[in-house]
Amino acid sequence: MTKLIAIEEHFLTPDIRAAWAASPIQDGTSAFDRGEIESRLDDLGGGRIALMDEAGIDVQVLSVTTPALHNLDPEQSIDLARQTNDLLAATVAKHPTRFQAFAVLPTASPAEAALELERTIAQPGFAGTMLCGRTRDKNLDHPDLRPIFATAAKLGAPVFIHPQIPQRSVRDVLYGGFGEPIDTAFAAFGLGWHYEAGIQFVRLTLAGVFDEFPDLQIILGHWGEVVLFYLERLNALARVTKLQRPIDDYFRQNLYVTPSGMWSQEYMQRSLKIVGPERILFSTDYPYQYRPGAPGKAFLEAAGLSEQHKKLFANGNWRRLTSSIQRF
């Protein structure tokens, strides 16, 4: 039986939830994490493992759900990052065959974030970091954040760019006018989240981050967060940039994509056409897309892939990607 490693599987802690509630920056998405979702986010033990077994998932790569620590006070986020990563380390140590982890970083303090990435990657089970797009009004390509990417590239640690809801000014102009809860849903899981994450990858490309760090590897969820489907248009940007490579080269050499529980054969085929079978990774977006009946496993089994490519999708690509991590 093919081993399934799911790489976008979320959790949350009471301390982070309390910090969000006290923050002057409120994004409105905490309402999505109530009831059964909340209890599943908080569980890093038996209940989670039981649902993994039901879904046929052998390993979850744990990550703090959006917006992580990106909108918190810098000093507060440093302490919370260390505390949360220590919890992740303990969880992986307790269940080493079931869990791995993406480090959460205090991105408002980029130098400290780079140090925290080094600290966590040195520990067993950590397999990179997840960033939730911009930090307040700073996009990921902002020069202040460059130490994070420099460190990730040095360590060979992949960076998962996860969606975050657009800032208020963008939400009001593009996603507002329908009243709640429609405005927030439209700006979040309806569409806004996905444009936000995809655009961050494009911005990194246009800013020359991959020219500076050619081995840096980024992961986008939801089959490439929209931009994968507009590569033909994005390629035209080469006419006005001074990048070292064609635009599509960065998609094929610096990007991995994962379904995030969107079990679409059409989207998979588009992803295969752009990045190839060696750059797709399995994920279920637990607990948000969890459904009984193991739909992810059924999707894999029904996929029009060779047995070799099914194994790459299920676990092989992830193993290869993380095998080059340098744990100093």
Side-chain angles (χ1 to χ4, degrees):
M1 185 177 295
T2 302
K3 185 173 185 176
L4 280 178
I5 301 178
I7 73 157
E8 186 187 344
E9 319 304 315
H10 299 298
F11 78 102
L12 194 56
T13 70
D15 287 338
I16 294 176
R17 191 179 286 112
W20 287 352
S23 172
I25 301 176
Q26 299 290 327
D27 68 7
T29 61
S30 59
F32 302 155
D33 300 336
R34 303 280 170 79
E36 189 173 55
I37 293 292
E38 180 176 356
S39 64
R40 288 175 177 171
L41 284 169
D42 290 352
D43 180 12
L44 290 174
R48 179 180 291 257
I49 290 172
L51 290 182
M52 289 169 60
D53 290 341
E54 188 277 330
I57 304 299
D58 296 283
V59 179
Q60 281 190 354
V61 183
L62 301 168
S63 56
V64 173
T65 194
T66 189
L69 309 181
H70 289 240
N71 298 325
L72 299 181
D73 172 79
E75 288 301 318
Q76 180 187 34
S77 66
I78 293 170
D79 292 338
L80 265 178
R82 180 173 286 270
Q83 172 187 321
T84 306
N85 289 327
D86 287 347
L87 172 64
L88 281 170
T91 301
V92 171
K94 186 175 181 180
H95 304 285
T97 65
R98 305 308 303 268
F99 295 132
Q100 297 174 27
F102 281 122
V104 62
L105 300 181
T107 56
S109 299
E112 292 292 338
L115 290 173
E116 182 63 8
L117 182 57
E118 286 191 331
R119 185 182 80 90
T120 53
I121 289 300
Q123 302 177 59
F126 280 90
T129 186
M130 178 174 283
L131 303 180
C132 295
R134 69 185 193 285
T135 295
R136 299 196 177 186
D137 289 328
K138 291 180 179 179
N139 290 305
L140 284 177
D141 61 292
H142 194 285
D144 287 354
L145 301 176
R146 205 57 54 88
I148 298 173
F149 295 104
T151 300
K154 178 184 74 173
L155 297 174
V159 176
F160 196 128
I161 300 178
H162 189 276
Q164 181 184 170
I165 199 168
Q167 57 263 64
R168 173 59 66 180
S169 59
V170 175
R171 290 158 61 186
D172 289 345
V173 172
L174 294 183
Y175 301 100
F178 304 101
E180 292 297 339
I182 297 174
D183 289 0
T184 299
F186 184 23
F189 59 80
L191 191 62
W193 267 348
H194 311 297
Y195 276 136
E196 280 285 305
I199 285 171
Q200 294 299 322
F201 177 78
V202 176
R203 290 189 65 94
L204 290 174
T205 303
L206 297 177
V209 172
F210 301 116
D211 288 343
E212 186 175 356
F213 309 114
D215 295 328
L216 178 65
Q217 298 298 314
I218 301 294
I219 305 168
L220 286 177
H222 307 97
W223 295 116
E225 304 292 9
V226 182
V227 295
L228 202 70
F229 294 82
Y230 277 80
L231 184 55
E232 287 84 356
R233 298 294 291 182
L234 289 167
N235 273 332
L237 289 170
R239 299 199 299 260
V240 294
T241 67
K242 296 181 179 180
L243 297 172
Q244 296 175 8
R245 295 183 267 149
I247 299 291
D248 56 3
D249 273 15
Y250 300 100
F251 279 74
R252 295 187 170 100
Q253 296 180 31
N254 298 96
L255 179 65
Y256 286 77
V257 300
T258 186
S260 308
M262 294 175 62
W263 308 123
S264 167
Q265 297 289 347
E266 290 180 320
Y267 287 2
M268 183 185 71
Q269 290 304 316
R270 173 62 175 179
S271 301
L272 289 169
K273 180 180 179 181
I274 300 301
V275 302
E278 294 81 13
R279 285 183 169 267
I280 59 172
L281 306 166
F282 189 85
S283 67
T284 75
D285 199 8
Y286 179 91
Y288 301 104
Q289 297 297 328
Y290 169 76
R291 302 289 185 275
K297 186 175 181 180
F299 174 82
L300 177 65
E301 291 172 350
L305 298 171
S306 68
E307 287 304 311
Q308 177 189 3
H309 289 166
K310 283 183 181 180
K311 290 179 181 177
L312 290 178
F313 183 24
N315 66 72
N317 290 334
W318 176 249
R319 291 177 185 273
R320 187 187 67 253
L321 174 61
T322 56
S323 66
S324 61
I325 291 176
Q326 303 297 310
R327 303 186 188 277
F328 298 111

